[in-house]
Amino acid sequence: MSPLLKIRSERDQMSAIERRIADYLLENAHLLRDYSSQQLANALGISQSSVVKFSQKLGFKGYPDLKYSIGEAVARGDAQDEGAVAEAIDTDPHVALAERLWHAKTRAEEETRLINPPERIEAIAEAVQNARRVFIIGLGEDGIPARALALKLAMIGILGVHHFDPVLMTASTASANAQDVLLVFSEFGKQTVLCHLARSFAATGGKVVSVTRHTPNPLRAHADYALLVSAHDERAHIEPLLYQSALQQLLDLIFILLCEHGQGRLSQLDSSAERIQDMLDT
């Protein structure tokens, strides 16, 4: 894995000082060949040992190894930033804007894929595939992908129970057992009511799947499986777009696994689509 990609994907898990180092490395990757660990520490106003520990935490022997690895990534073009993308286009500013957004979404989706190992994705898909019922909840904006997933599951014959009200979901899950699955969508995983719901559901023996950012949060602590999204940008109006894009890519992957691994799922999808189209045509 590229060291720059590794830094981006693990940034949400870092301490405040580690994030400062990470951001500096990402923004100045092409200049690091001229920086010693002491010079980097001086530029950030931190101790040299913090730089060394940061490098070792990423799996390198020390800062020189990290610097060399980043240098190789820069040479391969892994560190091409959004400004370079815009300069390369040299056309209509709207084209440059679209290219920068695409570049940022691609990076977020790649980071998200790397922090969700295939075996975890397979385990979640299998749990949903074999579930008696799949309960799905998300509050506010988190309710949008939750509702979309519930519709997709219904299209392939998987019984999904979707609510955007935790009280209604609590009532619906009262009869849950070990054959059921609960998917809880919460970007930051901090809503107390959702944590309580996940804890109560786990007590029935059912499987809980949390869908949150790649940050330590209470909801993840109550989940059997955690779907994680890595998407960050300093611009407040861009970061939610990256989160939604990376999350959708993750959910689409699970949906494809359900369609292709489940017996009769594709034919069920075709039948459902035909019924809906017949209804719309009348």
Side-chain angles (χ1 to χ4, degrees):
M1 182 193 306
S2 161
L4 297 173
L5 186 56
K6 185 176 179 64
I7 290 171
R8 292 191 195 101
S9 66
E10 296 186 7
R11 183 185 181 280
D12 288 343
Q13 300 274 53
M14 296 178 180
S15 66
I17 291 180
E18 290 169 343
R19 284 198 298 271
R20 287 176 58 195
I21 300 173
D23 292 342
Y24 193 88
L25 294 179
L26 293 172
E27 294 169 6
N28 301 279
H30 58 294
L31 301 176
L32 288 185
R33 64 180 181 274
D34 300 322
Y35 275 70
S36 66
S37 58
Q38 186 60 64
Q39 289 171 320
L40 177 59
N42 292 341
L44 292 171
I46 60 177
S47 66
Q48 184 180 19
S49 63
S50 295
V51 176
V52 175
K53 291 178 181 177
F54 176 87
S55 305
Q56 293 173 339
K57 189 173 181 179
L58 288 174
F60 295 91
K61 293 181 179 179
Y63 174 73
D65 286 341
L66 173 60
K67 182 171 72 170
Y68 177 77
S69 182
I70 291 177
E72 287 190 323
V74 171
R76 292 193 305 267
D78 293 358
Q80 183 183 37
D81 60 22
E82 295 177 358
V85 172
E87 291 175 8
I89 296 173
D90 193 26
T91 56
D92 187 292
H94 288 276
V95 176
L97 180 63
E99 188 70 18
R100 285 198 298 270
L101 181 58
W102 174 84
H103 184 73
K105 285 184 175 181
T106 300
R107 187 176 64 193
E109 290 168 8
E110 186 174 7
E111 293 170 11
T112 296
R113 176 176 55 82
L114 290 172
I115 60 177
N116 291 277
E119 55 271 21
R120 184 191 303 163
I121 301 296
E122 290 279 359
I124 293 172
E126 183 177 357
V128 172
Q129 184 80 264
N130 298 326
R132 180 182 61 149
R133 293 173 299 180
V134 180
F135 298 93
I136 306 172
I137 187 170
L139 307 183
E141 290 190 7
D142 291 311
I144 298 174
R147 181 178 181 180
L149 179 61
L151 175 60
K152 285 186 173 69
L153 295 183
M155 293 285 286
I156 58 175
I158 295 177
L159 178 58
V161 180
H162 168 254
H163 287 301
F164 52 82
D165 184 333
V167 175
L168 293 177
M169 183 58 82
T170 299
S172 296
T173 57
S175 61
N177 59 33
Q179 295 177 294
D180 297 320
V181 172
L182 171 67
L183 278 84
V184 187
F185 287 73
S186 177
E187 182 174 354
F188 299 102
K190 295 180 179 180
Q191 290 105 323
T192 302
V193 65
L194 294 183
C195 293
H196 177 74
L197 177 63
R199 184 168 59 250
S200 298
F201 191 89
T204 69
K207 299 296 184 183
V208 177
V209 180
S210 64
V211 186
T212 71
R213 279 187 172 274
H214 181 43
T215 54
N217 61 74
L219 183 58
R220 285 179 61 184
H222 300 297
D224 297 285
Y225 304 107
L227 279 178
L228 305 172
V229 178
S230 176
H232 20 252
D233 196 285
E234 294 180 355
R235 297 162 293 179
H237 63 298
I238 298 296
E239 189 168 58
L241 303 180
L242 305 186
Y243 177 84
Q244 293 159 15
S245 177
L247 172 58
Q248 190 59 57
Q249 177 76 6
L250 196 58
L251 296 177
D252 287 346
L253 176 59
I254 292 176
F255 178 69
I256 290 173
L257 290 174
L258 292 172
C259 288
E260 296 183 350
H261 293 181
Q263 187 174 9
R265 298 298 185 194
L266 290 175
S267 59
Q268 178 67 49
L269 179 62
D270 291 338
S271 298
S272 299
E274 287 179 9
R275 286 196 300 270
I276 292 174
Q277 191 60 51
D278 287 343
M279 182 186 66
L280 294 175
D281 289 342
T282 57

